[in-house]
Amino acid sequence: MKKLFKNKVLSSLFAIVVVLSIFFGVLNAVRTKSTWAENICRIVFTPVQEGAYKLSSSVSSFFENFGDKDKLLQEIEKLKNENSILKQQVNKNNLFKTENEELRRILSLKNAYPELEFQAAEVVGRNPSDWLSTMTIDKGTASGIDVNDVVVSADKMLVGKITDVGSNWAKVTLITDPSNSIGSMVLRSGEMGVIAGERLSDGSSVCKLLYLSKNSDIVVGDSVETSGLGGVYPKGITIGRVTEIKADLQSISQYAVVETGVDLEKIKKVLVVTNDFSVVESIDSADIEE
Amino acid sequence: MKYILHSVFLVLCVAFQATLFNFLEIAGVKPSLFLTYVICVAFFAKERETAFIGFIFGLAFDFLIGQKIGLSAVLYLLVGYFLALGRSYFLSGYNVIVVAVVVFLASVLTETIYLFVSLVWRNGIGFWFAFVHVIMIKGLYNAIIAVIDYFILKKFALAFADADR
C-alpha cells in the first residue's frame, strides 16, 4: 500500500478521485435544482438530441412500416374479401326485401279477393328483341294454368294473358303487344275504347286507347281499366293512366297514350287468375259497387 | 485534432443514447455509448488522456441521463485510466475479439459498481435481477457497439500516428 502511494501518478489519481467524490457527494446532497453546468450542457445538447430523435423516429417508423408491409397487405386483402362478402350479403338482403314486399302484396291481394284463385308465378324469360312483347313464366298446366288466363301483377294491374302453355311453363303476351285488343274504359267518364299495343321504332312499347270519339270526355291522368267486353279480360282490372291525348290521322276520332300501371320490363312475379271468367266478373262487380 | 474527434463522438453519443437506441433496445436494454467509447479509447490513448475523456464523457452522461452528478464521471475516469494502464502492461497485440471481450468485462464491472453505488442511494433496484437482466445484456450490447467504435478509432489513431510522425 505504501508502494502504491509512493507512485506519484497513482497517488495523484487517488487524490483527484477522493476530491471529486467529496465534491460530487456534497453537490448531490445540497443540490435541489439543476446547476448552471447542467443547464449549459442541456442548452447546448438539447437541439442535437431533438434532431436525432426526429431522425431516429423517422428511421424507426420507416423500418416498422417496412416490417409490417406484408402484414398490412394481408390485412387489406382480408378486409377486401370481407367487404366483398358483405356487399354480396347486402345485395342478397335487398333482393329478399323486394321479394318479401312482392309476396306481401300478393298475400294481401289474396286476402282481399278470397273467391279468386291465383297462381303465383315467377318470370323466367323475356323476349326484348322480339317484335312480340312476351315473357315466360315458371308455371303451366300442372299448376292449373290454361291459355287465355289473365295475368296480373300483385298490385292488380293488368300484365297480359296466357297465349301458350306447357306443363311447367307458360308464355304471357303482354298488354303492350300489338296483337292484343282489350276492351277498356275510362274509369272517371265511362268512355269506352280498345287498348292495343304498339311497338315504337326505338324498341319500346306503349298502349294506346283507340277509337275514342272526337268529343270524348278524357283528360291526362284518367285511369283506364278493362271493360269486360270481348270475353277474355274480366271487368275492372286496372291497365294504367292516360299520359297523352292525340287526334288520329283522319281527325274523326282521337286516341290516348296509356302508361301501363306496372313496369313490364322489371316485373319478376305475376299472378295468373285461374278462375272461371264469370266468377272473376262477379267479384269485380261487387268491388265496383263497394 | 484528437479532441475534435472526441468532441464529435461526444455529440454522437449525446444525440443517439437517448434517441436512436430507444428504438434499438435488445431485451429492453440499451447499450451505454459513453462507456463503450471510453473503453475503446483506452486501446489507443494513454492513461491520462483516457482518464480525462472518461471524466468528460461520464460527466456529460450524468448531466444528460444519469441520476447522480459525478458518479459516472468518477467511475469512467477510473475505468479509462486503469484500462489504458492495463492495456499497456498486458496487451501487446490485440484484435477486435479481444476488444469486444474487454469491453464486455469492463462494462459488466463498471455497471455493477454503478449499480452497487446507486443502491447506497437507495434507488430500489433489485441487485441480482439488475445484474442478470440488465448488466449482462448491456455488456454484450456494448461489446457489439464497441466493434464499430474500435474500427473508427483505429482508423483515426493510425491517421494521428502518421501525423505525429
Side-chain angles (χ1 to χ4, degrees), chain A residues 7 9-10 13 16-17 20-21 24-25 27-28 31 35 37-38 41-42 45-46 48-50 52-57 59-60 64, chain B residues 10-11 14-16 18-20 22-23 48 51 55 59-60 62-65 67-71 73-74 77-78 81-82 85 121:
Chain A
N7 184 323
V9 178
L10 281 180
L13 178 72
I16 290 168
V17 168
L20 285 174
S21 299
F24 286 125
L27 182 69
N28 280 307
R31 192 174 72 112
T35 59
E38 283 175 86
C41 192
R42 286 204 175 272
F45 286 122
T46 300
V48 177
Q49 279 186 317
E50 197 181 344
Y53 188 77
K54 282 179 183 168
L55 180 73
S56 45
S57 297
V59 172
S60 167
E64 271 173 23
Chain B
L10 180 63
V11 171
V14 170
F16 295 129
T19 56
L20 179 68
N22 280 333
F23 304 102
R48 283 185 192 178
F55 179 74
L59 198 61
D62 287 333
F63 280 165
L64 295 166
I65 300 151
Q67 288 176 314
K68 297 290 175 187
I69 303 294
L71 176 57
V74 174
L77 180 153
L78 290 170
Y81 183 84
F82 285 110
L85 189 68
W121 273 295

Side-chain angles (χ1 to χ4, degrees), chain A residues 143-181:
Chain A
S143 305
I145 293 171
D146 209 347
V147 172
N148 283 337
D149 279 351
V150 175
V151 181
V152 295
S153 70
D155 301 326
K156 205 194 164 191
M157 298 283 180
L158 187 63
V159 173
K161 66 175 182 183
I162 303 291
T163 50
D164 203 357
V165 68
S167 62
N168 61 349
W169 62 270
K171 189 165 90 176
V172 181
T173 298
L174 304 176
I175 51 173
T176 49
D177 190 85
S179 66
N180 264 332
S181 292

Side-chain angles (χ1 to χ4, degrees), chain A residues 29-151:
Chain A
V30 297
R31 192 174 72 112
T32 52
K33 58 178 185 177
S34 298
T35 59
W36 58 269
E38 283 175 86
N39 282 334
I40 289 173
C41 192
R42 286 204 175 272
I43 289 167
V44 172
F45 286 122
T46 300
V48 177
Q49 279 186 317
E50 197 181 344
Y53 188 77
K54 282 179 183 168
L55 180 73
S56 45
S57 297
S58 314
V59 172
S60 167
S61 110
F62 171 77
F63 281 107
E64 271 173 23
N65 291 337
F66 192 75
D68 286 347
K69 198 183 164 190
D70 286 345
K71 205 176 163 189
L72 287 171
L73 285 173
Q74 281 176 359
E75 193 74 16
I76 288 168
E77 199 57 37
K78 194 181 156 194
L79 288 171
K80 271 184 180 173
N81 288 339
E82 274 180 19
N83 191 32
S84 165
I85 290 166
L86 286 172
K87 272 183 180 171
Q88 282 176 12
Q89 216 158 358
V90 168
N91 287 340
K92 223 173 186 179
N93 286 346
N94 284 339
L95 278 174
F96 284 146
K97 195 181 164 192
T98 313
E99 197 173 323
N100 186 274
E101 281 168 3
E102 210 157 351
L103 289 169
R104 277 175 188 278
R105 285 204 304 270
I106 291 168
L107 191 67
S108 70
L109 187 68
K110 279 186 174 178
N111 290 339
Y113 301 101
E115 299 85 359
L116 287 179
E117 281 177 23
F118 292 105
Q119 183 62 56
E122 206 153 321
V123 177
V124 291
R126 296 175 198 277
N127 310 68
S129 61
D130 202 339
W131 280 104
L132 294 171
S133 298
T134 62
M135 62 187 188
T136 309
I137 57 173
D138 65 344
K139 298 278 169 63
T141 49
S143 305
I145 293 171
D146 209 347
V147 172
N148 283 337
D149 279 351
V150 175
V151 181

Side-chain angles (χ1 to χ4, degrees), chain B residues 13-42:
Chain B
C13 287
V14 170
F16 295 129
Q17 179 70 49
T19 56
L20 179 68
F21 283 91
N22 280 333
F23 304 102
L24 297 175
E25 288 180 348
I26 293 176
V29 173
K30 285 181 283 195
S32 174
L33 299 181
F34 294 84
L35 177 61
T36 307
Y37 183 74
V38 172
I39 298 168
C40 285
V41 167

